[in-house]
Amino acid sequence: MGVSSIGTKQLSSVVIRFAGDSGDGMQLAGDRFTGETAFFGNDLSTRRDIPAEIRAPAGTLAGVSSFQLHFADHEVQTAGDEPDVLVAMNPAALKANLGDLAVGAEIIVDSDQFKRRSLRKVGYESNPIEDGSLDSYRLHAVPLTSITLEALRGFPISNKDAERAKNMFALGLLCWMYDRPTSSTIEYLRRRFGKHAEIADANIVAFRAGYAFGDTTEMFATRYEVRPARLPEGRYRNVSGNLALCYGLLAGTEQAGIPLFLGAYPITPASDLLHELAHHKARGVRTFQAEDEIAGIAAAIGASFGGHLGVTSTSGPGMSLKAEALGLAVALELPLVVCNVQRAGPSTGMPTKTEQADLMQAMFGRNGESPVPVLAPRSPSDCFDVAVEAVRIATKYRTPVVILSDAHLANGSEPWRLPNLNHLPDMQVRFATELNHGGEFWPYLRDLDTLARPWTVPGTPGLEHRIGGLEKLDGRGTISSDPDNHETMVRVRAARIAGIAADMQPLEIDDPGNRAEVLVLGWGSTYGSIGSAVRAVRERGGNVAQAHLRHLNPFPANTAEVLGRYRTVLIPELNLGQLITLIKASFDVHAVGYNRVRGLPFTSVELAGQIEELI
């Protein structure tokens, strides 16, 4: 492709949002732009906003889908607050996203779609690209549809398929504007439409036409350059949270020396875990698409009994259905990893939107005293490390472990430095193979350090034993309703989980100069927003500390000491105050909550304002 003679402006970071009807291919365009940007070497973070309805009416506000990308020549922690560029494929996309733009932002619209019927469908009384209402922005009205159709005239494809390629025209134009590489997108299109060469060729022509349009028209006076970021040395790839979670489970079971079994029922946004792990049969992974959530977790428990690492994945109401079987896993004291990719609730709620409202359910959503470790990743790439940690804890302590990811992490992506597998912990499982109490095998005779019971593969000669949900006699494992024995077993199971605190990394504090009196304490996907807000406050001269919890049950052993250093602890959460309730119940601290439940992540601007009110 040719090199434009138009002037180039240097930028340190850019936020671009692609928005259109859910059939306009905005996720694909955004994903490809992300791929080219990652290949170029920028640091980046992405966020998808997908309609909750399976298929909302075309051209309506409810049907708008968007993909936001923040890329920079330095480290970025979020997908950005205010887009610098909005690509709007129709009036609904413009109206749904205009309120997020700062004055002076660049808007590229498909002018072919701004017709009277489409405008009225979303409540526009006049055409915003003609009535002057967008004068405070840099507006580019480009007839994307008609130019694409003209570029594909004569191709042996339907008019509908040709029109669909307009997303590639828009992508080509953006690649020209921001000097992105193009080769991997062309290769990707050939692979994606490998069985339909005419469709692949049409999309490639549309992509190149968009690039050439920017290069030859006088509509765009400036191109922009964002130089590669200086990242730590290593090999990188772009990874989403769900993909990193799968890779972490694979690496963890590899380190443990046991096969992985996933029992799951498809549900948004956790389904990708089943899709991905089903590709790894060659690594000994077995996947089972169950008829419902209950069967999914029950099969995983059975696999764990048989010597596999049982894993089950779910979201939203699926976690509720797994509650009884999760209690069974607690009683059986078998390893199990439960991946809950949280979404907005209650009930089916908003399936494609994010929320952090399942913390209390993970902690207490079972009958009886049934504590389980709860972990939460803080970024898409951190999902790998959390999955490895979950496997370590589950196999070492013979317990179910709940991972609380969420939709924002699952669908977001960022560069991931490939880990050195030699640096992963040694988690080799050693199954019981011999009698352990004189001439008998006692299945609940515990390790004195971990309080974990022996794990033996069924069929091991002489180690036959029964399992089930009824209470066990301490040590022997036979059924027992003795009151004192029940109290002993309840207290031992609780002590086993509490004891994990001594076997995990302490809570780290980011407090340069140790002058801060306010600590911002977070968990899960709020890490990026909190980090950006803290950095902004510090740049304005404020002193504030930050800490982020990976282990939510048990808390790190130094949590009380850390919280006690600060006058005020601010706890932002995408719920109505679940972590702050646990913190106040456990520690004598002055904690202040900041809570939103809009199905969207925090912006760094709103958090910075909350911090500055407290310091």
Side-chain angles (χ1 to χ4, degrees):
M1 294 182 176
V3 178
S4 172
S5 61
I6 295 174
T8 300
K9 183 178 180 180
Q10 191 79 35
L11 299 174
S12 62
S13 68
V14 175
V15 178
I16 296 176
R17 183 180 296 178
F18 296 88
D21 191 72
S22 57
D24 284 336
M26 292 296 93
Q27 302 302 321
L28 175 60
D31 186 65
R32 291 316 315 155
F33 194 90
T34 300
E36 298 290 7
T37 299
F39 183 75
F40 185 75
N42 296 121
D43 196 10
L44 62 88
S45 180
T46 70
R47 177 165 67 87
R48 300 174 190 263
D49 192 8
I50 303 169
E53 293 82 356
I54 293 176
R55 190 66 179 96
T60 63
L61 294 174
V64 173
S65 171
S66 69
F67 185 104
Q68 184 163 309
L69 165 68
H70 181 194
F71 61 102
D73 62 5
H74 56 272
E75 181 188 8
V76 298
Q77 294 181 301
T78 73
D81 291 346
E82 297 176 334
D84 301 298
V85 182
L86 171 65
V87 178
M89 303 299 280
N90 59 26
L94 176 66
K95 190 165 189 175
N97 293 281
L98 188 62
D100 295 336
L101 302 185
V103 172
E106 206 147 15
I107 301 175
I108 300 172
V109 299
D110 182 0
S111 56
D112 288 328
Q113 304 301 320
F114 282 68
K115 299 176 180 177
R116 179 177 299 177
R117 182 178 179 185
S118 300
L119 293 168
R120 287 184 175 176
K121 189 178 286 187
V122 294
Y124 276 122
E125 297 296 329
S126 61
N127 191 338
I129 65 175
E130 297 174 350
D131 63 10
S133 60
L134 301 178
D135 286 350
S136 57
Y137 306 94
R138 289 178 288 166
L139 175 65
H140 305 285
V142 182
L144 296 174
T145 303
S146 55
I147 296 178
T148 303
L149 292 175
E150 181 64 23
L152 300 181
R153 179 183 294 180
F155 266 73
I157 60 175
S158 67
N159 196 62
K160 187 176 182 180
D161 285 335
E163 185 173 340
R164 282 175 175 167
K166 63 186 179 183
N167 65 330
M168 288 297 104
F169 183 95
L171 176 61
L173 176 57
L174 267 293
C175 283
W176 172 83
M177 288 180 65
Y178 290 93
D179 196 21
R180 299 293 93 181
T182 59
S183 57
S184 68
T185 292
I186 292 173
E187 292 172 6
Y188 168 82
L189 291 172
R190 292 199 190 284
R191 289 197 308 274
R192 178 182 174 91
F193 301 108
K195 296 182 179 178
H196 305 280
E198 67 283 3
I199 298 293
D201 290 342
N203 278 274
I204 292 170
V205 167
F207 176 64
R208 286 174 166 156
Y211 194 99
F213 180 84
D215 202 18
T216 56
T217 185
E218 296 181 356
M219 182 178 288
F220 299 90
T222 308
R223 297 180 75 186
Y224 302 95
E225 182 181 7
V226 181
R227 292 177 177 169
R230 292 185 178 180
L231 300 174
E233 188 175 345
R235 293 182 63 196
Y236 285 82
R237 61 159 296 173
N238 196 45
V239 70
S240 68
N242 272 346
L243 189 58
L245 199 55
C246 290
Y247 288 170
L249 292 170
L250 289 169
T253 48
E254 183 76 18
Q255 292 297 106
I258 55 175
L260 189 159
F261 174 92
L262 174 74
Y265 180 74
I267 185 169
T268 300
S271 299
D272 287 344
L273 302 179
L274 175 59
H275 300 160
E276 177 60 30
L277 288 175
H279 294 155
H280 296 277
K281 292 180 182 176
R283 293 182 176 276
V285 176
R286 298 181 184 182
T287 53
F288 168 54
Q289 180 175 325
E291 70 269 27
D292 58 31
E293 298 281 3
I294 301 170
I297 187 172
I301 293 171
S304 288
F305 180 58
H308 289 53
L309 176 68
V311 179
T312 189
S313 58
T314 191
S315 301
M319 191 65 182
S320 305
L321 291 170
K322 292 184 188 298
E324 181 180 351
L326 184 54
L328 172 63
V330 170
L332 299 181
E333 300 187 39
L334 282 170
L336 178 73
V337 175
V338 181
C339 302
N340 179 7
V341 187
Q342 298 167 96
R343 67 188 204 185
S347 189
T348 42
M350 299 192 293
T352 59
K353 312 299 180 184
T354 196
E355 204 165 85
Q356 292 182 300
D358 292 351
L359 175 56
M360 287 298 192
Q361 183 188 42
M363 290 286 296
F364 306 114
R366 295 166 294 283
N367 68 299
E369 295 285 352
S370 52
V372 298
V374 180
L375 308 179
R378 65 186 188 184
S379 68
S381 59
D382 191 47
C383 288
F384 176 88
D385 295 324
V386 165
V388 172
E389 173 73 346
V391 175
R392 185 187 74 85
I393 292 174
T395 53
K396 182 174 181 178
Y397 293 90
R398 316 281 197 263
T399 177
V401 177
V402 176
I403 297 177
L404 288 179
S405 180
D406 63 38
H408 181 48
L409 294 179
N411 296 319
S413 63
E414 64 181 5
W416 175 48
R417 186 169 61 162
L418 301 185
N420 185 336
L421 298 183
N422 294 326
H423 295 168
L424 296 180
D426 178 12
M427 307 186 301
Q428 196 70 28
V429 169
R430 293 173 178 79
F431 291 105
T433 57
E434 298 178 351
L435 303 178
N436 60 0
H437 193 269
E440 301 178 62
F441 174 65
W442 283 18
Y444 280 77
L445 188 64
R446 300 175 183 282
D447 179 273
L448 295 179
D449 292 330
T450 64
L451 298 181
R453 74 177 186 88
W455 187 11
T456 185
V457 178
T460 303
L463 306 191
E464 295 85 357
H465 63 284
R466 293 176 296 173
I467 61 171
L470 292 172
E471 185 62 281
K472 314 293 186 300
L473 183 64
D474 187 23
R476 287 180 177 273
T478 51
I479 296 173
S480 172
S481 296
D482 177 77
D484 292 336
N485 174 75
H486 176 59
E487 172 137 359
T488 297
M489 291 295 281
V490 166
R491 291 188 181 279
V492 168
R493 286 192 288 261
R496 180 167 49 96
I497 303 305
I500 298 172
D503 186 25
M504 57 196 201
Q505 293 296 316
L507 180 60
E508 295 183 357
I509 314 168
D510 176 19
D511 185 7
N514 294 316
R515 296 193 300 269
E517 295 185 348
V518 173
L519 170 72
V520 186
L521 180 69
W523 69 280
S525 66
T526 57
Y527 176 78
S529 300
I530 293 173
S532 295
V534 166
R535 189 161 59 188
V537 170
R538 287 174 181 166
E539 289 174 352
R540 294 195 284 267
N543 291 321
V544 60
Q546 179 187 0
H548 212 76
L549 286 165
R550 164 174 291 178
H551 299 87
L552 294 155
N553 189 47
F555 288 126
N558 66 332
T559 304
E561 186 271 327
V562 169
L563 302 184
R565 297 183 197 177
Y566 298 93
R567 167 175 48 83
T568 302
V569 179
L570 173 63
I571 303 180
E573 296 181 84
L574 298 175
N575 57 47
L576 294 184
Q578 299 194 13
L579 176 62
I580 193 172
T581 300
L582 297 176
I583 291 292
K584 286 184 173 179
S586 304
F587 308 103
D588 182 19
V589 297
H590 177 231
V592 178
Y594 180 69
N595 307 91
R596 302 298 297 273
V597 280
R598 302 172 59 237
L600 296 169
F602 291 120
T603 67
S604 58
V605 171
E606 66 179 315
L607 291 183
Q610 293 300 312
I611 295 169
E612 288 175 329
E613 286 184 9
L614 294 173
I615 61 177

